Amino acid sequence: MVQLTKLTDTFTLNNGTKIPIVGFGTWQTPDGDVAKESVKAAIAAGYRHIDTAFAYGNETSVGASIRESGVKRDELWVTSKLTGEDHGYKNTQKAIDTSLSNLGLDYLDLYLIHWPNPIAFRDEWIEANAGSWRAMEEAQAAGKLRAIGVSNFRPKHLEELLKTATVTPQVNQIFLNPSDLQPEVVAYNNDHNILSEAYSPLGTGKIFSVPELKTIAEKYHKTVAQVVLRWSLQHGFLPLPKSVHAERIQENTQLFDFELNAADMTAIDQLHGVAGVATNPDTITW
């Protein structure tokens, strides 16, 4: 079990790379001043793991915040993702360079295939993923990417990828919170030593109105967000909370002075569906 003592404690990925156990998410964070200030606030609050994606449209602002933070590049973990329109070998090569340029970085700590079956490649998703993965493996070998992985992949998508892959994904970033534990995906990830990263760990805000979570939070004198993030860490997930409010960004770092007991962990596990479930990656319209 990883020590849960501070924000910068790490999980060790299957290639030996160490990744900070909590990341700062930027999905739905508008480009420009909002993205810049929220990322700056996160780094000031102690985050050393920043998650973005080409599809979020805010890579440029995220990169500017990183450069202006005053924190050394090698002390930060930065993730971006391959958008659906850019699947395939050559497209992915270009997309990696585009994200690096947008962010103003020489390398990414983690790069993910964002969705396994985007609409642009619905009839050839297996071949397109294989081509993208080959480009990512090469970029990793060249030092452009320290770690590579996937997002929103179910076991069937991973099985197809592994038929041609020479590198097992280090990470699978999925919708993961008390409302959807995705047990089959998490079990597959665990069996293959793939880290489960939790995007929308707070259920895009819907989790805050769940009565059972309010009761547990009161018991520990914590917020619902703190309880749910702690729950995620105790499961061995890596949560990526997102906020644009400095006080909440700071609040979401305060996870290491309490521990949820087994009964409360079980109670939270049983909240399936209270804040939505994962989108089916084979029926997305983007």
Side-chain angles (χ1 to χ4, degrees):
M1 178 70 178
V2 171
Q3 288 294 107
L4 302 178
T5 60
K6 59 185 184 300
L7 207 61
T8 53
D9 284 340
T10 57
F11 292 113
T12 300
L13 300 178
N14 63 31
N15 69 338
T17 308
K18 296 184 181 298
I19 180 173
I21 62 175
V22 181
F24 182 70
T26 63
W27 179 41
Q28 298 179 327
T29 299
D31 196 34
D33 289 344
V34 175
K36 277 188 175 183
E37 294 308 313
S38 62
V39 172
K40 283 182 182 178
I43 294 173
Y47 284 94
R48 293 296 179 265
H49 177 167
I50 308 296
D51 181 275
T52 186
F54 180 86
Y56 300 170
N58 58 20
E59 284 180 323
T60 301
S61 296
V62 169
S65 299
I66 288 168
R67 289 191 300 278
E68 295 168 14
S69 71
V71 175
K72 293 178 182 177
R73 172 66 184 97
D74 62 6
E75 295 177 11
L76 294 169
W77 180 282
V78 184
T79 299
S80 196
K81 309 177 190 76
L82 176 72
T83 195
E85 293 84 358
D86 289 337
H87 283 209
Y89 179 70
K90 290 185 178 180
N91 289 344
T92 300
Q93 289 179 316
K94 293 176 184 176
I96 292 167
D97 288 339
T98 297
S99 285
L100 287 169
S101 177
N102 289 346
L103 286 156
L105 300 176
D106 295 327
Y107 68 92
L108 282 163
D109 297 277
L110 177 62
Y111 194 69
L112 308 175
I113 299 177
H114 206 157
W115 288 91
N117 192 359
I119 198 163
F121 293 91
R122 186 125 309 158
D123 295 331
E124 50 182 343
W125 65 267
I126 295 172
E127 296 80 5
N129 284 344
S132 291
W133 195 252
R134 181 161 64 93
M136 290 163 64
E137 289 179 339
E138 290 176 2
Q140 185 178 34
K144 289 183 178 181
L145 312 174
R146 293 182 66 211
I148 55 177
V150 297
S151 182
N152 298 295
F153 274 51
R154 303 278 172 89
K156 77 169 195 176
H157 306 115
L158 286 162
E159 285 288 345
E160 291 295 341
L161 190 70
L162 291 173
K163 288 179 181 178
T164 57
T166 60
V167 174
T168 300
Q170 274 94 59
V171 167
N172 188 7
Q173 186 182 121
I174 58 177
F175 180 86
L176 195 56
N177 57 59
S179 187
D180 195 349
L181 272 158
Q182 296 212 58
E184 290 183 2
V185 182
V186 170
Y188 188 97
N189 292 344
N190 291 343
D191 287 345
H192 292 79
N193 199 17
I194 300 170
L195 178 67
S196 297
E197 276 192 347
Y199 77 78
S200 296
L202 305 176
T204 61
K206 296 175 185 176
I207 217 87
F208 299 129
S209 60
V210 178
E212 294 91 338
L213 289 173
K214 291 180 180 179
T215 299
I216 292 172
E218 288 171 4
K219 172 181 173 180
Y220 289 90
H221 306 290
K222 287 290 183 177
T223 66
V224 168
Q226 289 165 337
V227 163
V228 171
L229 294 172
R230 180 72 197 193
W231 167 89
S232 188
L233 287 171
Q234 287 182 215
H235 267 300
F237 309 147
L238 193 160
L240 301 165
K242 171 258 179 184
S243 180
V244 297
H245 304 288
E247 68 278 6
R248 290 181 188 163
I249 290 170
Q250 179 67 50
E251 183 182 277
N252 289 345
T253 70
Q254 296 164 5
L255 312 174
F256 306 100
D257 58 351
F258 74 109
E259 182 175 351
L260 298 170
N261 66 36
D264 290 328
M265 288 290 292
T266 299
I268 296 171
D269 289 351
Q270 295 172 348
L271 295 174
H272 183 79
V274 295
V277 296
T279 300
N280 183 343
D282 293 321
T283 59
I284 58 169
T285 57
W286 54 86

